[in-house]
Each structure stands twice: as C-alpha cells, then as structure tokens.
DNA sequence: CGAAACGTTGATATCCTTCAACATGAGTGG
DNA sequence: CCACTCATGTTGAAGGATATCAACGTTTCG
C-alpha cells in the first residue's frame, strides 16, 4: 500500500494554478511531516467514525467522500473530496473522528502525522494559516450543501451539486473536451442531497431528456451550465484564493 | 454602541469550566487584539453577505445566528451562536463574507481586528491552534445540522435541534431549574431545519401535547431528554409497524 | 388601545417516498 | 463463450409526509 513517494517538490498538484506556491523552508517542512504515500481501492475506508488520533491526509488523486450514519442505516454525505483537498482535519484535531471517509475511486493520498500538526503551528505559521484557511473553506462547502438540502427543490439540489462538482473539477483541469470522469452513483447523489434514490433517478432523467446534461458510462457533460445554475438559483459562494499575509 | 470594556482577564466567560484556561502572554495578546466591545440590538446585522474584511468576533452574551439567503427569499440558517462562540472566522479569512450573521437577542461582542489574525498566527501558535480548533468545531456543528436536515423526519429534526441547543446552553450554565431562556421563533426553527413554518408549528405542538417539552413565554423545558434523543435518532422506526417475515 | 409580530389550526395540494418490477452492464466461474 | 450474479439504473403506481392557503387567536409593545 505504501509507495515510493514523489518528493513534495515534484508534486503534480503543485503545478496547477489552483494552488498557491510554496517554497523553501515550508516545502521542506511539509516533506518532513509527510509520513507516507498510500493507495486505497475504491470503496476502502480511509477514516472511520470513532477512530482515535486519525492521521491527516491530502488527497493526491481520485475522489473520496465524507459522511455520517444514523442508527437506522440512513447516511448523510457531507461533502466530496477532489485532488488537493485536505482530508481529516477535524478528525485530527479532535480526540476521535465523528464521521467516515471512504474512497470513491481508487485514490492516492499523502499521509501526515497529526501528532506533528502542533509542530507545524509552532514552526511554520504561514502553513498553519493555510491549514486554517483550508478548514474554513471546507466549512464553506458544507454550508453550501446544507443550503441546498434545506432550501432547494429536488431539481435545484441536483443541479447545484452537478454544477459545483463540475466547476471544482474544471479548476483542477479534470474536464477534457467538455466532459468529466464522474464516479458518483445515483445512490451517492441521493445520500448527499437527502433525496430518495428513485426520485434522484427521475430528476436526473428529466435533465437528460431535456438535454441539459449527458451522463453515461461514468462521464458527465453539461451543455448549458447557466440553465442549470438558474434551476439551482445558484449563487454558490465563490471563494478567492487566500490573501497574501 | 462601543462600551467601556471589561479587561479580558476579568472576562466572565473565562470563569466557566467550559473554557480552557488562558494565561500570561496569551491573555495579553488577546487583549491587544481586542479592538472594541460592542452591543447589538436583537435583529441587528453583525456581518453581511459580501462584506469585505469582516472583523472577527467573540459572542460575549446573547444569541445570534448565521444564514444564507436564496434569490427567491428563502433562507437557510446554518447554525446558532451561543456565548463564547467565535463569530466570523470564515468571513475574516476570505476576502468576502459568504453569509449573514444577525443577533437573535440583544448581544454583546468582543471585536478583534481580522487584519491582526496573521500576527496571532506568527506570535501565538497556541492561540492559533485554538482558533483552528474552534473552526473545526464550528464545521462539526454544521455537519450535524446537515445530517439532520438531510436524513431525519420533521419530528427528528426538531427534537435534535432542541436537544442540541439545550445541552449547549446547559454547558454554559444557562439552564436554571430545568428551563432555559429560548429566543428562537418558530420561523427560525423552520429556516434552520428546512421545514415550513406551519409544519414546524404542528410538530412542536405534538411535542407539547405529549408532554415532552414545555415552551411558553420564551422559555424551554424538556422533561424527558432521552425520549427526544430517541426520536431524533431512530426516525420512523418508532412508528413504522414491524415488517412481517 | 391598536397594530404588528408571532403562534395555531383545518383543508387542500403536491412533492417526494416507498413499493415493486424490470433493464442494463460489469465481473466471474464454468 | 455463455450463464450467472450483483451492482446500478429505470419506470409506473400508490401512499404519505410536508407544503401551501386561509383564517383566526394570542402576545407584545409603543
């Protein structure tokens, strides 16, 4: 499972314009905190509810998701992780995790010792600030999902989710020729949006029939993103990259 | 609106066992970051959506709430603030606020310069760590609300919200003789839970009639917290007839 | 005392869930 | 290569939880 790691200085994520440049001492510190580079198969559990002293991860490639389960078997997906996302910050700051994280596709992650998080705060305030910023951004994504689930119709929820994921993927240059490798099943969408599987299916079917989206064979394309935004009454909070400190 | 401030060393919140002790340098730094001590009337806006360089606040007394609005006038309340909560961390880390914060009761807040947040990270790593921890806890509260709205019935949502608020208030010693000053209107509850006002009212009415809660004149009491907890978790399984095998 | 905010209740409408059945595709072993 | 199975997707019908509409009651407060 462990892998000959690419050094952080060569990290492919670093080359994307979506990420702020990091250099010198900071890069060295990140490298020193990195404990391993793992792979997980699709469906594998990365963090389990109740787990103590969970590690901190950066998702290097692939998709994952975070959810809570209720005793009756229902579950609520809280957010989806795309490459570059920080996974497990909450879990690594609390004594035990309050959610599960599962790989949606085969994934690769960089593993950081959560026990050294405190060292990072002491030695590298700029990085600590970044971590906090990433945590705030993560909350902002959950805010958006809550707004969707609480205040939008089924069609609005689906539209908002698809547009948001599409645009996040686009930023990461995962969209090629207008379409995107899309690993969510309709059950995932239903669990994220608080809808039943059947109704989710019918809502998506309507979007397909009206030509707003194409979704076959695990690829998603959308012909008219603005129409979908209108259905969602969209106004997703756009977050600009962290200000220079 | 500004007020002769109580020095941080005398802060009433500090005496509550719910808060970790802070001393010496750290206390002095907090004091130096504190720019003012404000009052807001109930209904006043503390942070507005889109606002730039919002300040960072600690809620000193009273209740507040945070919400997002949709173009059609619906709004989603994301979470409620009780004394001691950090208000506006997201807004002060991003260039623009992506939500509104409004006072639910008359409140007092301590105002910190968000422009000095970076100084805090550089000079006081322990406090920076605390800030990040508070941010993570805040996300965790939103997680819980999302789970409620996405996966519970109306009765479950109301029960979960009331129990959660009751217990948070209890920790702050706001519960006296089993009851609590409870400033939410049913419209607030509806907006937080993604329910209509009428249905919220009927759900609460059922709880009242069955004696699970008392709620009159702005005070809330609950006779059987465990029963409410059960309703919050087990959803329909309490009502659904056992399937025949 | 009057107005405005908040709460309550019944009737009706609808969105969404549940149930049930079938279709399709991918992986697996014979 | 086929038969099988399991996960996923699709569709219609029926029921239920929640929304909407409308009216009235109650509290609060200037």
């Amino acid at each position: 499972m462990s892998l000959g790691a690419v050094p952080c200085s060569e990290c492919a994520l670093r080359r994307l314009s979506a990420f702020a440049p990091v250099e010198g001492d900071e890069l060295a510190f990140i490298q020193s905190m990195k404990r391993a580079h793992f792979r997980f198969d699709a469906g594998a559990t990365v963090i389990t509810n109740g787990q103590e002293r969970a590690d901190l991860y950066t998702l290097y490639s692939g998709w994952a998701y975070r959810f809570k389960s209720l005793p009756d078997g229902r579950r609520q997906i809280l957010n989806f992780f795309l490459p570059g996302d920080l996974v497990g910050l909450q879990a690594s700051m609390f004594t035990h995790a309050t959610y599960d994280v599962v790989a949606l596709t085969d994934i690769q992650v960089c593993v950081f010792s959560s026990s050294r998080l405190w060292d990072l705060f002491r030695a590298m305030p700029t990085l600590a600030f970044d971590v906090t910023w990433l945590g705030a951004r993560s909350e902002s994504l959950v805010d958006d999902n809550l707004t969707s689930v609480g205040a939008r119709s089924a069609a609005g929820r689906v539209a908002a989710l698809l547009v948001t994921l599409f645009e996040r993927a686009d930023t990461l240059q995962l969209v090629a020729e207008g379409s995107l490798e899309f690993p969510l099943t309709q059950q995932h969408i239903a669990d994220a949006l608080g809808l039943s599987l059947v109704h989710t299916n019918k809502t998506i079917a309507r979007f397909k029939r009206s030509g707003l989206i194409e979704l076959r064979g695990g690829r998603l394309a959308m012909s008219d993103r603005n129409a979908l935004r209108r259905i969602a009454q969209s106004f997703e909070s756009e977050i600009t990259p962290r200000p220079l400190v």
Side-chain angles (χ1 to χ4, degrees), chain A residues 161-211:
Chain A
L161 178 64
L162 294 184
V163 170
T164 303
L165 288 177
F166 196 92
E167 295 185 339
R168 285 176 65 195
D170 200 8
T171 306
L172 297 169
Q173 302 179 10
L174 296 174
V175 176
E177 298 180 8
S179 85
L180 157 71
E181 189 94 21
F182 191 77
L184 311 208
T185 67
Q186 296 188 345
Q187 185 68 63
H188 291 120
I189 298 177
D191 287 347
L193 300 181
L195 294 171
S196 73
L197 176 59
V198 173
H199 198 64
T200 301
N201 177 285
K202 288 174 179 172
T203 304
I204 292 176
R206 267 189 290 275
F207 284 164
K208 283 182 184 172
R209 272 197 291 274
S210 60

Side-chain angles (χ1 to χ4, degrees), chain A residues 1-3 35-48 51 54-65 81 87-88 100-112:
Chain A
M1 209 195 243
S2 194
L3 193 81
R35 229 187 47 202
H37 188 100
F38 278 176
R39 289 173 186 278
F40 289 96
D41 292 335
T45 296
V46 179
I47 295 174
T48 315
Q51 181 181 342
D55 277 317
L56 184 60
Y57 303 86
T58 293
L59 185 55
Y60 180 79
S61 69
W63 294 41
Y65 63 102
F81 294 110
V87 177
D100 288 67
V101 174
V102 167
L104 198 50
T105 63
D106 292 352
I107 62 174
Q108 296 180 50
V109 295
C110 304
V111 189
F112 300 98

Side-chain angles (χ1 to χ4, degrees), chain A residues 5-9 14 22-37 55-56 110-124 127:
Chain A
V6 178
C8 294
S9 56
R14 199 162 302 291
V22 175
E23 298 164 333
D25 285 357
E26 296 176 357
L27 198 56
F29 194 94
I30 293 175
Q31 180 78 63
S32 82
M33 241 187 102
K34 178 168 171 177
R35 229 187 47 202
H37 188 100
D55 277 317
L56 184 60
C110 304
V111 189
F112 300 98
S113 311
S114 62
S115 57
R116 292 207 52 210
L117 191 55
W118 163 240
D119 293 336
L120 181 143
F121 270 77
R122 200 174 37 198
M124 292 285 146
L127 290 178

